[in-house]
Amino acid sequence: MKTTLRILAFLALIYLIPTAYLNYTEPVEHWDWDEINLDDISYPENFIWGVASAAHQVEGGHTSNNWADWENQVDKDGNPRIARGEKCGVACDHWNLYPQDIKLMKELGVTSYRFSVSWSKIMPTEGVVDTSAIQHYSDMVDSLLAAGIEPMITLHHFCHPMWFEEKGAFEKEENISDFVEFSKHIFLPLNDRVKYWCTLNEPAVFVIAAYFDGNFPPGKQDPKLAAEVLKNMYLAHVKVYESLKRFEGGERAQIGIVKNMHQIDPMNDWNLFDRLLSRTVNKGFNGSFIGTFTEGKYKFSFPTLVDLEAEIPNAPYSLDFVGLNYYSHNAMDFSPDLDEALKTRMYPGELETDMDYTMYPEGFYRAIKEISVLNKPIIITENGVADMDDDMRGEFIKKYLYAVSKAIEDGYDVRGYHYWSLMDNFEWDLGYDERFGLYEVDFETQKRTLREGSKEYQRIVKAN
Ligand code: FCB
């Protein structure tokens, strides 16, 4: 008996000491939704309500960027890079149809539109600016303002010109100056009318997909390079911020970066290995961002794969706001086989969306809390659900917006919210089957139809 007790005590000790060390004792948070009144929400008077999109996903007509090139490639087994071998093509033809799309925004009642500008259309060849592309965005900004909608521009949303890709894009620190130069060409003609600027969209998502998993261009699988590219992208943000701030109107501009705070949680709260693994991955994905923008210290490490540290001392002074994208979390299930261990999985017991993540509104509150350590105003720049059958969109909207409202009530400084997306569009390597739109798009006829579930958003926007 004594021996058994001793063994048990010993086992408890080797479990508890590292658990305490991990400083991660709270179980993954879940709320009791049956006890929650989803109509119990309130938003400040000047809260920004908006919708979001990105150039490559909606505009159509991209011929010379990294994604246009990627869709013509196959992987090492001869499979197409985009699901079902799809091509982006004219997408939603938003380039031509934006006047009618602005009417859709009016119909929703939103007062802000986050969109990205296409670097490859503005600078199709290195050093050459196509003034007609600048004029296009300038006209679009005027139309938005005339409709009472505030434009918010993203400078880099997962795509860049082929000439930049061929030079090694953000793999090389010396290429950052190209991005700074491009930013100037669009900022100068528009900043008299555009107040909100996002430099880069979700660098960590982009880098994991493009340099770790290899399912975004350039399709590399190189953890060390991934860590380097991420560092360069954070540095690029700082350089663009500093450069734009020096121009006339720079002070008035509100410039931020967009971070997806997707949490990586342990599959099993009580499994020490799951915890250790999820904590390590979470530190790389989210911690590297927080460290950079709070202390100027970038760190990305994973035992045996990568360990990179760098100082970006000005990073904490390079944000007028932070853009927060939030969709969900994933779980880690430890395995001694590294490839198996690094697979992210859906958290059990939660409702699955059409993407490989679940509905997890509690995580939205957590994400707001986590990013609030930056001490900057938070603008939600993306949140939405892939739901082809439209059977969870309404519930998604109500629950996620409940979580944001709770966070505001608890004192977190959230200034605005943009739903992803205004309409169905080209979902990167997954192609056209992921339906994120408030409006359903018939890609044959370009007809847009408001989905039933989306009316929850319209209702909440109009009521608040
Ligand atoms: C985000 C991207 C956006 C879209 C949504 C679904 O990570 O920023 O372009 O793909 O996911």
Side-chain angles (χ1 to χ4, degrees):
M1 186 63 188
K2 250 187 180 168
T3 328
T4 320
L5 276 177
R6 273 205 197 110
I7 292 172
L8 281 176
F10 177 71
L11 287 177
L13 219 63
I14 55 171
Y15 180 79
L16 284 176
I17 290 173
T19 308
Y21 161 75
L22 282 174
N23 183 25
Y24 187 95
T25 44
E26 282 173 43
V28 176
E29 192 172 340
H30 284 102
W31 297 345
D32 183 357
W33 290 98
D34 293 336
E35 295 297 309
I36 287 173
N37 172 9
L38 291 177
D39 292 323
D40 179 19
I41 58 169
S42 71
Y43 280 88
E45 198 152 317
N46 49 358
F47 194 76
I48 303 165
W49 291 104
V51 286
S53 78
H56 190 81
Q57 295 178 274
V58 296
E59 282 181 356
H62 282 97
T63 52
S64 57
N65 67 15
N66 52 337
W67 279 92
D69 177 72
W70 187 241
E71 67 183 24
N72 292 316
Q73 292 186 26
V74 289
D75 68 12
K76 58 179 181 346
D77 302 319
N79 298 315
R81 294 298 196 174
I82 313 292
R84 301 166 297 279
E86 285 174 359
K87 308 240 184 247
C88 184
V90 295
C92 313
D93 199 18
H94 185 59
W95 182 264
N96 296 305
L97 300 180
Y98 77 81
Q100 94 174 39
D101 293 337
I102 292 175
K103 291 200 184 114
L104 305 182
M105 297 175 210
K106 290 288 289 178
E107 185 181 19
L108 289 170
V110 297
T111 54
S112 175
Y113 179 39
R114 172 182 176 233
F115 61 97
S116 76
V117 287
S118 169
W119 183 1
S120 67
K121 285 181 182 169
I122 293 169
M123 297 180 87
T125 28
E126 186 168 1
V128 181
V129 175
D130 181 345
T131 50
S132 70
I134 307 255
Q135 190 59 47
H136 168 88
Y137 291 116
S138 177
D139 294 345
M140 188 163 135
V141 162
D142 286 340
S143 308
L144 284 165
L145 291 172
I149 296 169
E150 174 117 39
M152 175 188 241
I153 290 184
T154 307
L155 296 167
H156 186 279
H157 194 127
F158 295 173
C159 56
H160 44 244
M162 216 36 218
W163 59 261
F164 184 68
E165 184 81 331
E166 278 159 2
K167 285 172 81 171
F170 293 107
E171 290 173 27
K172 298 195 182 117
E173 197 177 316
E174 71 250 32
N175 291 346
I176 291 175
S177 56
D178 290 322
F179 182 52
V180 175
E181 176 72 9
F182 153 67
S183 304
K184 178 183 90 180
H185 287 299
I186 189 77
F187 183 79
L188 287 179
L190 298 190
N191 91 82
D192 57 335
R193 286 155 293 153
V194 178
K195 179 172 164 200
Y196 291 102
W197 297 83
C198 306
T199 54
L200 293 139
N201 181 67
E202 302 184 343
V205 170
F206 175 74
V207 161
I208 297 293
Y211 293 94
F212 196 88
D213 293 336
N215 47 5
F216 276 19
K220 297 189 180 173
Q221 293 180 302
D222 181 343
K224 288 199 175 70
L225 185 59
E228 179 70 21
V229 177
L230 187 57
K231 180 213 70 185
N232 287 341
M233 290 181 91
Y234 289 155
L235 192 59
H237 160 80
V238 175
K239 294 202 165 170
V240 168
Y241 181 90
E242 290 176 346
S243 142
L244 299 186
K245 280 284 168 183
R246 278 196 290 269
F247 292 121
E248 208 192 316
E251 259 168 56
R252 196 178 54 237
Q254 295 295 295
I255 305 174
I257 190 171
V258 173
K259 170 72 178 120
N260 184 329
M261 289 298 288
H262 190 96
Q263 297 100 358
I264 312 297
D265 285 327
M267 179 65 93
N268 178 352
D269 268 332
W270 291 102
N271 183 322
L272 189 60
F273 296 107
D274 287 4
R275 283 190 178 198
L276 193 54
L277 182 64
S278 62
R279 183 180 147 98
T280 310
V281 177
N282 206 35
K283 265 193 160 178
F285 187 79
N286 294 318
S288 57
F289 174 83
I290 299 289
T292 302
F293 290 95
T294 52
E295 296 171 61
K297 289 190 195 316
Y298 172 84
K299 181 170 168 58
F300 196 104
S301 71
F302 192 92
T304 75
L305 291 183
V306 51
D307 189 17
L308 181 65
E309 285 184 38
E311 304 275 328
I312 311 183
N314 290 353
Y317 313 102
S318 71
L319 295 173
D320 299 318
F321 70 92
V322 61
L324 170 65
N325 287 1
Y326 189 77
Y327 291 87
S328 186
H329 66 161
N330 277 108
M332 309 259 37
D333 191 2
F334 181 80
S335 153
D337 172 352
L338 196 60
D339 284 339
E340 272 303 303
L342 285 179
K343 282 191 186 141
T344 48
R345 295 156 211 276
M346 283 194 256
Y347 208 81
E350 294 171 359
L351 202 61
E352 293 180 15
T353 69
D354 294 353
M355 293 276 272
D356 61 357
Y357 41 71
T358 54
M359 192 147 116
Y360 183 51
E362 296 89 333
F364 209 172
Y365 185 98
R366 284 173 62 194
I368 291 168
K369 187 172 162 188
E370 284 152 4
I371 212 161
S372 73
V373 299
L374 263 55
N375 246 319
K376 300 286 173 195
I378 301 165
I379 299 180
I380 312 294
T381 32
E382 276 180 42
N383 171 243
V385 63
D387 177 21
M388 168 124 43
D389 301 332
D390 195 36
D391 54 9
M392 52 181 130
R393 190 170 278 100
E395 182 186 345
F396 179 98
I397 290 168
K398 285 176 86 169
K399 288 187 170 168
Y400 277 66
L401 282 173
Y402 173 84
V404 178
S405 165
K406 261 260 140 298
I408 295 174
E409 194 185 308
D410 291 350
Y412 295 106
D413 187 9
V414 185
R415 306 270 174 102
Y417 173 95
H418 296 80
Y419 190 85
W420 182 274
S421 180
L422 171 66
M423 57 194 157
D424 293 339
N425 56 51
F426 179 75
E427 181 52 33
W428 310 113
D429 57 318
L430 301 175
Y432 283 107
D433 268 11
E434 305 300 328
R435 300 297 186 123
F436 275 93
L438 290 170
Y439 287 85
E440 181 183 349
V441 175
D442 177 335
F443 290 99
E444 296 286 314
T445 61
Q446 291 298 346
K447 186 170 184 294
R448 283 88 155 120
T449 313
L450 186 64
R451 290 197 162 94
E452 265 319 300
S454 312
K455 292 183 180 160
E456 283 299 343
Y457 188 52
Q458 191 180 37
R459 186 183 62 76
I460 292 174
V461 168
K462 292 197 169 163
N464 291 276

